[in-house]
Amino acid sequence: MNDTKPPEFKTQFAEDVFHGLTSYPKKISSKFLYDEKGDELFQKIMELPEYYLTGKEYQILMRHREEIGNAFASLEGFDLIELGAGDGKKTKVLLRHFEQKNYDFKYLPVDISHSVLDQLSQSLDREIPGVEVEPQQGTYMQVLGKLADYKERKKVILFLGSNIGNLSQQEAVSFLQKIRNSMHKKDMFFMGVDQKKDPQVILDAYNDKAGVTEAFNKNLLHRMNRELEADFDPDTFLHWPLYNPETGTAKSYLVSTKEQSVQINSLDLEVHFQKWETIHTEVSQKYDDTSIAWLAEEAGLQIAGSWTDKENCFKNYLFQTI
């Protein structure tokens, strides 16, 4: 623990690192895994055989695009709002289908990054030029707050990739309540959720044989070295994932293999690690129908439909307001 008075923080990353590494136990939010290098590593993770999540959700959208499309089309004109659109690979399965069916819709991808939105808009212009795209730059809540007052057309809000799993139970309820508050009667919310399953399958997804997930987790140490003038030696930390099948919680840690002190010069901070002390870097919650129904009810939503892959690894749920 360091009693140094907090410095003036130049970035959110700097502030979170200071507070996270001077708390006990030590922790840093998983959102900081995603810098330019982290994004590149995560793209590689999504292509790994062990990392089933992306492939299973893609399979669901391919297999069930007709039924999902019919559910959305019942609104007779809608805006498709995607939170955290990224490269849109999975979403394009739906967009192509909607375009072929001549649905009356507009696609509003939401991302905090201008460059991500520009790249997505350009790829859609090449691949599905008939789709009307209206990018929304900002955080999820900024955009949803703005769209809550928008009543001209019905909304379908997409949240793919099981990102809900990165939130604690309390945070998940709060997030879904904010989604609910942005919805009007008949609006829909479509969300991907990783399911509880064989614990070994889950552990393997976060500890691949090629070591890409290890590099992704340790990139946080490299990022602190790059951006905050720290002197972490990543070779003295272990990447350590855990999964609790009772609670459905997967967590990732960085574990110090020796007693050591690390200097973070831009924060004027020295951080001491005991041997085997941890930094908690990520949580990935797994769900089942019962826990999702409870979450939805707490947030004022109800399940209107669901689709799964052949092995019941992953599920996409459709919600409406109660």
Side-chain angles (χ1 to χ4, degrees), residues 75 154-155 180 183-188 320-321:
L75 298 178
K154 299 301 177 193
K155 298 191 290 289
R180 165 66 185 86
M183 295 169 67
H184 300 291
K185 192 176 179 183
K186 293 190 178 179
D187 285 351
M188 296 178 178
Q320 288 185 303
T321 59

Side-chain angles (χ1 to χ4, degrees), residues 110-124:
V110 178
D111 206 284
I112 201 161
S113 166
H114 272 300
S115 64
V116 164
L117 291 171
D118 288 345
Q119 287 169 26
L120 178 58
S121 298
Q122 288 164 17
S123 72
L124 285 169

Side-chain angles (χ1 to χ4, degrees), residues 214-215 218-223 225 231-239 254-255 257 260:
E214 177 185 5
K218 286 189 176 184
N219 181 57
L220 192 57
L221 304 176
H222 289 291
R223 182 176 182 183
N225 288 350
D231 62 358
F232 281 96
D233 178 359
D235 291 339
T236 64
F237 285 83
L238 293 174
H239 162 63
L254 291 163
V255 186
T257 59
Q260 60 181 307

